[in-house]
Amino acid sequence: MFDVAVIGGGPSGAMAAERLLELGHDVLLVDPGNRIKPCGGAIPSRTLRDFAIPEEMLVARASAARIIAPSGREVEMRIGDIGFVGMVDRATFDPYLRERAERAGARLFVGKLAGLEERSDKTLLLTLTATGADPASAPVTFSARMVIGADGANSTVRRLMFPPGKRPPYVFAYHEIIESPPGGEVHGFAADRCDVIYDGRISPDFYGWVFPHGSHTSVGCGSGVKGHDLRGATENLRHAAGLMECKVIRREGAPLPLKPMRRWDNGRNVLLTGDAAGTVAPASGEGIHYAMLCGRLCADAVHTSLETGRASALRQARRLFMGAHGRVFLILGIMQAVWYRNDRFREKFVSMCADPDVQRLTWESYLNKALVRRDPLAHIRVFLKDTLALLGIRAGGHDPVA
């Protein structure tokens, strides 16, 4: 009998397991260990501080982002001296986090959840199958007082323990990890810059990206539009970046949730975290930092519930997360709904990104994981420019944001 079983050993599940161990609980951590989530791999410099991630885990640092409009217009947004965007490769980053949890005392089971039943005493019976096991071999069973579902957008925990249809909206993300060009630079590519492409031909409702990972590079895009050719769009991205001759290391695709669920717990003994709970930022698709934070908050909520015997304590995880980041998620959701709807608006959005106030507030908010409050006049200026751009009004005969 474990105190807690954590299903899924990505950033959120591994952080939840590590935190629970710090709080003195027996933890079972379950992960198949045979899959790499498609991910651009970007994390703010704050993530290293908040979660004690050694810089050796970074495969690259980015000091700027280049925003590209449908017309081909480019806007470079340099970060300056306030931080950087770190790049991790999920093929090495996730195993590192699982190993950290295991060293802290977690029992790691390499396999996946096949069944989850609630007993009359409210404890849970888990049926697990080992990765690579003989199909004829018997499944393994464990018991736990609580379960944290950190098993991704298509969460088995959510499917088994929550009402049907309870899942967040999502886009489907696809990317290719390729070898970076020799020497680090070719025409249209820079080894220290993230490219973000807003173009309906690449994605009719999201965006495409070229993110350098040192010796490798992630090139991909996402879309919620059924039938959109993500592979073809990714090929076009590689061509535009001068990366067609680079060898493909692996191809990956998966759903990417874009809105936190209204409820993360089942009211008794199960709590969702990370992608399973939908904690991926709208508009940007950023999820690693939020997943790791969510994992810690869920661990604290489970600890409180176990200590007090109150299942209602499980709700504190979502309450605290949304209290800290709900406003950012709301603003990003509105931004995606307004500016990503067609190429005319995408063009205006990229024009806005040329504005110094927009760039400064964007980077400070991203790096600090909070809305910038110390410069209200800058927010007013951005709001006015945003409104003018939305209405197609030019101030004084000039582009209001150029």
Side-chain angles (χ1 to χ4, degrees):
M1 174 69 72
F2 289 89
D3 290 333
V4 188
V6 180
I7 312 302
S12 198
M15 282 293 104
E18 185 175 89
R19 176 62 175 159
L20 285 164
L21 290 157
E22 290 175 2
L23 295 169
H25 295 288
D26 297 322
V27 178
L28 173 67
L29 179 60
V30 180
D31 188 88
N34 60 359
R35 185 178 179 280
I36 305 168
K37 181 189 173 184
C39 177
I43 58 173
S45 47
R46 174 178 175 174
T47 304
L48 278 67
R49 301 192 304 271
D50 286 0
F51 303 102
I53 304 299
E55 291 204 23
E56 294 74 40
M57 291 309 303
L58 299 181
V59 293
R61 287 185 178 210
S63 58
R66 181 175 63 165
I67 315 300
I68 303 175
S71 66
R73 177 182 180 178
E74 301 174 0
V75 172
E76 187 164 280
M77 301 173 62
R78 302 210 65 83
I79 298 175
D81 59 1
I82 61 173
F84 60 88
V85 178
M87 293 293 168
V88 297
D89 189 335
R90 298 292 293 272
T92 54
F93 187 63
D94 290 19
Y96 157 76
L97 294 176
R98 288 194 290 273
E99 289 166 8
R100 226 170 76 164
E102 192 174 15
R103 288 198 305 270
R107 164 76 180 274
L108 178 63
F109 182 91
V110 182
K112 63 181 181 180
L113 180 70
L116 184 58
E117 299 177 21
E118 185 176 4
R119 296 188 178 105
S120 58
D121 63 356
K122 303 300 182 184
T123 61
L124 294 150
L125 178 66
L126 297 88
T127 302
L128 309 176
T129 57
T131 298
D134 187 329
S137 62
V140 181
T141 59
F142 290 96
S143 297
R145 297 168 64 193
M146 292 272 182
V147 165
I148 292 179
D151 48 344
N154 287 326
S155 170
T156 300
V157 174
R158 188 180 63 223
R159 176 174 56 82
L160 293 174
M161 300 302 292
F162 285 74
K166 290 292 183 181
R167 61 176 296 171
Y170 66 91
V171 299
F172 197 86
Y174 170 82
H175 79 156
E176 297 176 359
I177 296 293
I178 63 174
E179 290 183 349
S180 297
E185 291 199 22
V186 296
H187 174 70
F189 173 84
D192 63 347
R193 182 191 67 213
C194 297
D195 287 353
V196 184
I197 300 90
Y198 296 102
D199 187 332
R201 293 165 294 187
I202 300 300
S203 173
D205 57 337
F206 204 54
Y207 65 85
W209 66 84
V210 179
F211 287 177
H213 287 187
S215 61
H216 295 161
T217 294
S218 167
V219 185
C221 56
S223 177
V225 176
K226 188 176 181 180
H228 181 66
D229 185 3
L230 295 173
R231 284 202 175 200
T234 299
E235 182 177 346
N236 291 338
L237 285 174
R238 290 181 58 193
H239 186 272
L243 303 173
M244 285 302 292
E245 301 303 317
C246 297
K247 180 182 177 181
V248 177
I249 305 301
R250 63 181 191 264
R251 296 181 172 90
E252 300 153 353
L256 184 69
L258 292 179
K259 186 177 182 181
M261 292 180 61
R262 290 187 176 275
R263 185 161 182 171
W264 298 355
D265 69 284
N266 71 342
R268 299 182 302 281
N269 45 23
V270 176
L271 185 60
L272 302 176
T273 186
D275 281 13
T279 57
V280 176
S284 69
E286 182 197 358
I288 297 177
H289 183 94
Y290 292 122
M292 296 172 78
L293 172 62
C294 187
R296 278 190 177 173
L297 292 175
C298 286
D300 288 342
V302 165
H303 169 71
T304 301
S305 182
L306 288 171
E307 290 291 296
T308 64
R310 293 186 293 106
S312 59
L314 297 175
R315 298 183 184 181
Q316 78 182 35
R318 187 185 189 281
R319 183 171 65 250
L320 291 174
F321 183 90
M322 296 305 291
H325 302 287
R327 185 175 298 179
V328 172
F329 276 47
L330 175 63
I331 291 171
L332 290 174
I334 293 172
M335 189 183 87
Q336 181 175 345
V338 171
W339 297 111
Y340 291 14
R341 53 180 151 170
N342 59 47
D343 279 353
R344 182 169 65 90
F345 279 91
R346 293 185 191 100
E347 199 72 41
K348 292 176 181 291
F349 174 71
V350 173
S351 294
M352 287 174 53
C353 292
D355 182 80
D357 285 327
V358 171
Q359 295 193 16
R360 179 168 59 83
L361 294 178
T362 296
W363 283 127
E364 290 184 2
S365 296
Y366 172 80
L367 294 170
N368 295 315
K369 285 290 160 282
L371 292 176
V372 179
R373 301 180 184 275
R374 65 179 175 83
D375 192 351
L377 290 179
H379 285 280
I380 293 172
R381 290 193 298 269
V382 169
F383 173 76
L384 292 174
K385 294 167 185 174
D386 185 53
T387 303
L388 291 171
L390 182 62
L391 297 175
I393 299 172
R394 293 175 178 270
H398 300 285
D399 187 335
V401 293

